């Protein structure tokens, strides 16, 4: 039972950190163009 007092705050802190990282990635436009890289890879002709 005493481990709950230790594990619940740690899980809440990790959840808040994950949520902040998600919002940071959305604000940084990481998810704006999820289809484009695969098509750019096919059209890349360096030769």
């Amino acid at each position: 039972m005493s481990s709950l007092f230790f594990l619940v705050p740690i899980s809440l802190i990790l959840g808040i950190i994950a949520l902040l990282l998600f919002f940071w990635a959305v604000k940084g436009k990481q998810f704006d163009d999820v289809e484009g890289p695969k098509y750019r890879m096919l059209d890349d002709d360096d030769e």
Side-chain angles (χ1 to χ4, degrees), residues 6-46:
F6 179 70
L7 293 176
V8 169
I10 288 177
S11 65
L12 287 174
I13 290 170
L14 289 176
I16 289 170
I17 289 172
L19 188 65
L20 291 175
L21 286 175
F22 174 73
F23 285 133
W24 174 72
V26 168
K27 187 177 179 180
K29 300 181 180 179
Q30 294 288 320
F31 303 111
D32 280 354
D33 186 17
V34 294
E35 296 289 326
K38 65 181 177 186
Y39 295 118
R40 282 194 298 268
M41 179 180 68
L42 294 175
D43 293 336
D44 189 21
D45 290 330
D46 289 338

